[in-house]
Amino acid sequence: MRYLHSLLFVLLTSAVLSGQSVHVNLSDSTRLSVASSIKAEDLQVYLSKLASDEFEGRETGTPGQHKAAAYIADFFRQNGIQLPKGQDNYFQEIAFLSERWTKIEMAINNKKMRHLWDYYAYPATNQSMDSIQINEVTFLGYGIESKGYNDYAGMDSTLRGKTILIFDGEPITKDSVSYITGTDSLSEWSTDWRQKLRTAKKYEVGQVLIIDRDFQSNLAQARKEILNTRLQMKRGEDPENNYANNVFVNAGLVKRLLPDSNMIKSVVGARDQINQSGKPVSMNFETDALLILNKRSREIISENVVGFVEGTDSLLKKDMVIVSGHYDHLGKRGENIYYGANDNGSGTSSVMEIAQAIAQAKAEGKGPRRSILFLLFAGEEKGLLGSKYYVTHPIYDLGDAVANVNIDMVGRTDRIYKDSAGIEHIYVIGADRLSSELHEINEDMNHRYAEIKLDYTYNEEDDPNRYYYRSDHYNFAEQNIPIIFYFNGTHEDYHRITDTVDKIEFDRLERVVKLAFHTVWQLANQDRRIVVDKIEEAK
């Protein structure tokens, strides 16, 4: 024994003198000591706060969600969890935008045209306006202002407040050469139609009617965007300052707008003349049209909550294990609060408790060798938006991520196991999709430390529920980062106001959190990163 102590002393001293790190945290005693701080009563405290009336269901962008974010950030601060690099707080701010038409109408000679049939208009590039009577239309070629070709030449202020009619694209010769580029490659006037709207705005044009020569094909994509009710991950385009209002129209609508056949012939002839000569042609037509564009815009600022524990190994700390869950839920509908205790106050509490355990271990000199990143996402209920934002705007290089351990809806017994007396289970999803080793590690950790029934029903490729694609881990899997998703299944309270704290089985939750912890701890401490051996399958 004395010899072993002497040998250990020599090894430790040699490591310190050589600048190498010392690793003493893989032992079972260390691991179990850290895990022992994960307690059901702590989880109950966190979840009782998150799923309380105070946070009003935590819907993304609401005061309740911001309060929840502040609560988590304060918890990180109190437990010594580090700020993410380059930041002075725990928040990754996200701008979400919701824009939709409340009323959109177009009538010609008192006949109502059909939106998404005869015409379409994007809320994002239009400002709201009340009823506009259009008595005259100015045909302005392609609506382009460039050095090689300029539809606005000599127009000055004559277009102020007017409605212009233009073709999409740009003028080209019979040999398909662009008058703007001088080659067979089209210019940005064809690839970015917003540039035409910006130019029209500069000339104070009132409305732009764009003849879409590929109307049916473009309409299909436009329909998806216009009718999408989900939040978009972006700030608004500020059309009031950037664009003239605009509508894309088909050939049938143009014929109604210019009912005289000679008018139609004039427009077609003008287009052909422009293409033959490369010189602009414009003309005015009388018409009788009415246009209404009323929309509702909401810009919502939300935030992911980000905490970090730096690894202790100088060679491995660049690597990191990501532990995640979403903290948002459905919010309020009238006076009803959708508390979201299981979905996903339970996963949020789990991440917080694992973070507390690991931060405490580091404070006691037993921290993990690799770094651990704790991510609590907003916007999951709106379409996995918080995690999508993180992978497109990562604070840390995604190439350094060893794996993502995601926890969403844990601590309850689902319908399938409801009548199975005393069987504690957890559904495990995705662990073998990218890395066989991750699956094996979780199996081993469960066998050694948790002894929970691991159910892989929802991990099957043909699972009709497709849960693999329905929580935040999927955005990491798309980046070929191995993931493991812990999930307890659905129940009668899913997405209802009855998803409350009293339904959570906290002893069961503690065991699941400890299993997740042991998997995280193994990933963060073993000598090498897990092997990613199924990249092609992920694609």
Side-chain angles (χ1 to χ4, degrees):
M1 183 64 72
R2 181 177 299 171
Y3 170 76
L4 291 175
H5 286 167
S6 299
L7 179 59
L8 179 60
F9 175 78
V10 170
L11 290 173
L12 294 177
T13 303
S14 174
V16 172
L17 291 176
S18 65
Q20 297 175 4
S21 51
V22 178
H23 314 309
V24 294
N25 57 2
L26 268 179
S27 69
D28 259 11
S29 61
T30 298
R31 176 196 293 272
L32 292 172
S33 172
V34 179
S36 67
S37 69
I38 296 173
K39 301 182 188 304
E41 52 264 37
D42 291 342
L43 293 162
Q44 187 167 7
V45 169
Y46 313 151
L47 186 50
S48 296
K49 185 75 168 178
L50 289 163
S52 66
D53 288 348
E54 179 183 359
F55 293 162
E56 296 185 328
R58 311 182 305 279
E59 183 176 10
T60 296
T62 63
Q65 178 254 299
H66 296 308
K67 287 181 181 179
Y71 171 66
I72 298 165
D74 191 54
F75 176 87
F76 281 176
R77 187 178 301 106
Q78 290 180 18
N79 283 277
I81 295 163
Q82 296 164 242
L83 293 167
K85 70 176 182 180
Q87 294 191 193
D88 59 4
N89 59 50
Y90 293 98
F91 303 128
Q92 182 186 40
E93 186 177 283
I94 314 169
F96 295 116
L97 182 68
S98 172
E99 292 185 295
R100 66 191 66 180
W101 293 118
T102 55
K103 184 177 183 179
I104 178 168
E105 291 184 5
M106 189 173 188
I108 300 175
N109 295 318
N110 294 318
K111 180 175 177 58
K112 191 173 180 179
M113 302 291 100
R114 295 170 63 185
H115 184 226
L116 300 177
W117 186 271
D118 302 306
Y119 69 98
Y120 63 89
Y122 293 101
T125 60
N126 282 281
Q127 59 179 302
S128 276
M129 66 180 192
D130 294 327
S131 177
I132 299 295
Q133 180 67 43
I134 301 172
N135 296 317
E136 184 180 67
V137 173
T138 299
F139 171 72
L140 202 68
Y142 290 89
I144 291 172
E145 182 184 46
S146 71
K147 186 176 181 180
Y149 173 84
N150 185 5
D151 285 306
Y152 287 88
M155 289 297 178
D156 298 325
S157 62
T158 59
L159 296 174
R160 182 177 298 154
K162 297 291 185 66
T163 298
I164 65 172
L165 176 67
I166 63 174
F167 281 101
D168 62 353
E170 62 190 82
I172 56 175
T173 70
K174 63 180 181 179
D175 298 320
S176 299
V177 174
S178 165
Y179 283 106
I180 299 172
T181 66
T183 70
D184 59 1
S185 296
L186 297 176
S187 74
E188 59 189 1
W189 292 94
S190 289
T191 58
D192 179 14
W193 50 267
R194 285 171 171 79
Q195 185 158 325
K196 296 187 179 187
L197 307 183
R198 289 189 285 268
T199 303
K201 182 69 175 180
K202 184 175 75 171
Y203 283 90
E204 301 182 46
V205 169
Q207 296 74 232
V208 182
L209 305 181
I210 304 170
I211 304 171
D212 185 347
R213 288 172 290 179
D214 194 13
F215 186 86
Q216 288 304 320
S217 177
N218 292 333
L219 176 63
Q221 182 58 40
R223 183 186 298 274
K224 292 179 183 177
E225 183 172 334
I226 293 167
L227 298 180
N228 183 10
T229 59
R230 287 185 169 181
L231 296 176
Q232 304 296 310
M233 263 196 327
K234 60 184 180 181
R235 293 187 180 274
E237 297 190 51
D238 190 16
E240 185 173 356
N241 293 308
N242 291 323
Y243 308 131
N245 274 20
N246 56 95
V247 176
F248 290 83
V249 300
N250 63 14
L253 188 146
V254 175
K255 289 179 180 179
R256 289 187 175 278
L257 189 71
L258 309 176
D260 188 322
S261 61
N262 290 327
M263 294 181 185
I264 301 295
K265 290 178 182 178
S266 296
V267 168
V268 174
R271 180 199 63 196
D272 293 343
Q273 183 180 337
I274 291 170
N275 288 340
Q276 289 170 8
S277 67
K279 303 296 183 183
V281 176
S282 64
M283 59 191 75
N284 296 322
F285 300 99
E286 292 184 357
T287 190
D288 181 8
L290 184 71
L291 182 62
I292 299 173
L293 299 173
N294 288 333
K295 72 174 186 178
R296 180 188 180 212
S297 296
R298 290 188 303 142
E299 185 174 80
I300 298 170
I301 303 300
S302 187
E303 53 275 314
N304 293 329
V305 188
V306 186
F308 184 69
V309 174
E310 186 175 37
T312 59
D313 189 310
S314 60
L315 300 178
L316 300 183
K317 66 181 182 181
K318 188 171 183 288
D319 291 345
M320 66 184 63
V321 180
I322 299 172
V323 185
S324 67
H326 73 90
Y327 71 99
D328 67 307
H329 192 55
L330 302 182
K332 290 183 70 175
R333 301 294 184 271
E335 295 302 313
N336 292 321
I337 297 176
Y338 290 76
Y339 293 98
N342 187 227
D343 182 16
N344 183 37
S346 62
T348 302
S349 301
S350 302
V351 174
M352 292 167 66
E353 186 70 344
I354 293 171
Q356 174 273 324
I358 290 175
Q360 179 180 324
K362 183 172 182 182
E364 295 172 356
K366 300 180 291 187
R369 297 170 69 187
R370 290 184 176 85
S371 299
I372 301 182
L373 181 65
F374 298 98
L375 293 175
L376 288 162
F377 298 117
E380 192 271 354
E381 300 287 0
K382 307 295 184 184
L384 313 184
L385 295 183
S387 53
K388 184 177 181 180
Y389 186 84
Y390 185 84
V391 299
T392 54
H393 302 83
I395 297 173
Y396 297 90
D397 189 341
L398 292 178
D400 295 334
V402 173
N404 170 224
V405 177
N406 187 50
I407 309 172
D408 190 350
M409 294 181 61
V410 286
R412 282 194 63 165
T413 303
D414 75 340
R415 296 183 181 96
I416 296 173
Y417 285 89
K418 194 169 185 179
D419 298 323
S420 302
I423 297 179
E424 294 193 19
H425 76 288
I426 190 70
Y427 294 104
V428 179
I429 300 172
D432 63 348
R433 297 288 184 106
L434 291 165
S435 172
S436 303
E437 187 178 357
L438 179 54
H439 168 78
E440 292 163 3
I441 286 173
N442 186 64
E443 283 272 344
D444 183 43
M445 294 300 103
N446 184 58
H447 175 70
R448 290 164 60 187
Y449 302 110
E451 297 183 339
I452 301 171
K453 176 178 172 55
L454 304 181
D455 191 320
Y456 296 100
T457 299
Y458 296 131
N459 190 50
E460 298 298 328
E461 293 278 359
D462 59 355
D463 168 37
N465 298 285
R466 294 176 62 81
Y467 289 126
Y468 176 67
Y469 306 93
R470 289 172 55 184
S471 190
D472 291 301
H473 59 272
Y474 183 66
N475 284 316
F476 293 96
E478 282 197 309
Q479 304 297 318
N480 288 317
I481 297 169
I483 69 92
I484 182 168
F485 173 31
Y486 295 106
F487 173 60
N488 66 210
T490 58
H491 43 74
E492 63 274 12
D493 301 307
Y494 175 66
H495 278 193
R496 297 190 177 187
I497 61 175
T498 49
D499 181 7
T500 49
V501 176
D502 59 293
K503 311 286 178 58
I504 302 296
E505 302 161 72
F506 284 98
D507 289 340
R508 180 189 296 270
L509 178 57
E510 178 186 311
R511 294 185 68 177
V512 172
V513 176
K514 284 184 175 178
L515 170 59
F517 161 79
H518 284 297
T519 298
V520 169
W521 191 255
Q522 183 67 28
L523 292 168
N525 282 289
Q526 65 182 34
D527 287 335
R528 60 171 178 76
R529 292 170 61 124
I530 58 171
V531 175
V532 180
D533 54 7
K534 298 185 179 182
I535 291 179
E536 293 303 317
E537 290 186 19
K539 294 179 181 177

